[in-house]
Amino acid sequence: MNGFDQLPDSLILLIFNSISDIKTLICCRSVSKRFNSLVPQTESLSLKVDCVISPESDSGSLFTLLKSLLKSIHDLLKPDTKPTTRNQTQNSPARILKQFDRIRDLQIELPAGDLKLEKGAVIKWRAEFGKSLKSCVVLGFRRVANSEGYNAEVEIDFAGGLKTRVVWTISALIAASARHYLLNDVVKEHREMERLVLVDREGEGTVAMEREGLRECREESGVAARGVDWQEEGRRTVVPSVRMRMRHEQRVQLKDGVWVEGVTLVVVRPCNGGGDVEDAELALGAFGGGIFGEAVQVLLKNESYLLEMNSF
């Protein structure tokens, strides 16, 4: 008898929840029959995608991209599975997670962000979803420099800057809606789940769904077939009509002598509803501390202007 045989199941499950990494837990299943039976009961999981995307993938479909990224993980889970038809979602997150029965907290990490930015630009965004978009906060910089690299004489193209800010926001919304689409099957199949987050290793964007949002998504699971809230061909959730409250500062000096130029903060909410949380509270809670949190605090003191956009 080894030391683990003397531990109760509840303590081993606590250890598995602390590990959370799916690849590691899969390896644990081969340790013993007991581990094999306990791993599926793990409640807190993290799926990290390491694979390199094939250039043959459809660049217009983030759904196809993630399926390709997850191929090697699926092979690890089902090494003896025979090839099936092309249209089956055997490499989807839902398929990978089928052997876990009690998922309550799940984080999926992609290897890279979705946006193609101009050189020097930095964008971070965080979107909250239920059956559709609840809110999205976008923070962007045109350039970041220390005190030595800052040039006060550089002119800013305000007309071009506004166009860029709108493009940043729309691009972030498209990326967020595509990621949300990916999670639909996972949400439907794991009804005990209370929190679901999809991030990328570059820290660009986050899609989050909490308990109430997950419930909404499950209740609307049949709507996809009717084409009401889901855009099948585009492989993303339809973005509803939204209002975008935008704040901008030409140049901002942050702590430690860091300058950021063309700083933009956008809080996006659906025109109909959007919750009771104030825009400022959403923005402050989106990115934590550091230069991003500091930039948000500075911009919230500025005057804002409101734009509206139709559903797309």
Side-chain angles (χ1 to χ4, degrees):
M1 177 181 293
N2 59 41
F4 270 105
D5 291 334
Q6 301 177 38
L7 298 178
D9 289 353
S10 59
L11 184 54
I12 294 178
L13 284 172
L14 183 62
I15 295 172
F16 287 162
N17 283 321
S18 298
I19 293 172
S20 74
D21 180 65
I22 285 181
K23 291 182 181 179
T24 303
L25 291 170
I26 290 169
C27 294
C28 289
R29 297 195 69 173
S30 63
V31 171
S32 66
K33 291 183 178 179
R34 186 184 184 200
F35 277 23
N36 186 54
S37 65
L38 289 176
V39 165
Q41 301 177 42
T42 306
E43 296 181 348
S44 179
L45 295 175
S46 174
L47 175 58
K48 297 181 180 179
V49 180
D50 313 292
C51 308
V52 178
I53 180 63
S54 167
E56 298 177 357
S57 296
D58 180 3
S59 59
S61 172
L62 187 60
F63 180 78
T64 304
L65 180 150
L66 186 58
K67 285 176 65 178
S68 180
L69 289 173
L70 298 175
K71 184 177 187 302
S72 66
I73 300 178
H74 170 72
D75 291 341
L76 177 62
L77 297 178
K78 299 288 184 180
D80 57 345
T81 302
K82 295 180 180 179
T84 54
T85 61
R86 292 177 56 188
N87 292 329
Q88 287 184 326
T89 58
Q90 59 179 9
N91 299 323
S92 69
R95 177 75 177 187
I96 293 171
L97 295 165
K98 271 186 177 295
Q99 60 181 302
F100 294 92
D101 306 323
R102 300 181 181 178
I103 304 175
R104 294 189 180 275
D105 191 310
L106 174 63
Q107 176 168 303
I108 301 175
E109 182 183 272
L110 303 179
D114 306 308
L115 307 185
K116 305 300 181 183
L117 306 175
E118 61 189 275
K119 185 177 180 181
V122 178
I123 291 182
K124 289 180 73 70
W125 56 267
R126 178 181 175 85
E128 299 275 350
F129 277 86
K131 63 181 180 181
S132 62
L133 181 72
K134 289 179 173 288
S135 67
C136 184
V137 182
V138 184
L139 179 65
F141 307 150
R142 292 292 294 269
R143 191 170 80 95
V144 182
N146 57 29
S147 56
E148 296 177 356
Y150 172 67
N151 183 359
E153 302 300 322
V154 175
E155 295 184 357
I156 302 295
D157 179 1
F158 288 98
L162 177 59
K163 178 181 177 181
T164 298
R165 295 193 289 276
V166 172
V167 169
W168 282 353
T169 304
I170 294 175
S171 298
L173 290 172
I174 291 173
S177 63
R179 292 189 186 188
H180 179 254
Y181 181 91
L182 293 174
L183 301 175
N184 187 38
D185 288 341
V186 176
V187 173
K188 287 190 298 183
E189 294 185 15
H190 297 276
R191 306 191 69 83
E192 307 87 356
M193 195 180 303
E194 299 177 353
R195 179 176 176 270
L196 176 56
V197 179
L198 181 57
V199 299
D200 60 85
R201 204 159 301 158
E202 295 176 351
E204 177 190 280
T206 300
V207 168
M209 300 179 71
E210 302 296 339
R211 179 183 296 179
E212 181 62 23
L214 291 166
R215 182 190 63 78
E216 287 181 10
C217 193
R218 293 185 191 105
E219 290 179 353
E220 293 293 324
S221 60
V223 175
R226 300 195 297 273
V228 178
D229 279 323
W230 301 87
Q231 182 173 312
E232 290 287 343
E233 189 156 341
R235 297 296 188 183
R236 64 175 179 84
T237 306
V238 172
V239 177
S241 297
V242 295
R243 58 175 178 81
M244 305 181 292
R245 188 163 296 280
M246 188 175 294
R247 293 173 171 86
H248 176 72
E249 185 67 52
Q250 181 175 337
R251 298 182 180 92
V252 174
Q253 183 176 16
L254 305 178
K255 296 177 180 178
D256 302 324
V258 175
W259 286 88
V260 286
E261 296 180 355
V263 194
T264 300
L265 174 67
V266 187
V267 179
V268 182
R269 310 285 287 270
C271 290
N272 298 324
D276 300 324
V277 180
E278 295 294 331
D279 287 354
E281 185 177 345
L282 276 176
L284 288 170
F287 308 118
I291 65 170
F292 301 104
E294 189 180 350
V296 168
Q297 291 181 27
V298 172
L299 287 174
L300 284 174
K301 300 174 184 177
N302 289 10
E303 184 178 354
S304 66
Y305 49 98
L306 191 64
L307 302 175
E308 292 191 356
M309 183 166 57
N310 293 331
S311 175
F312 65 93

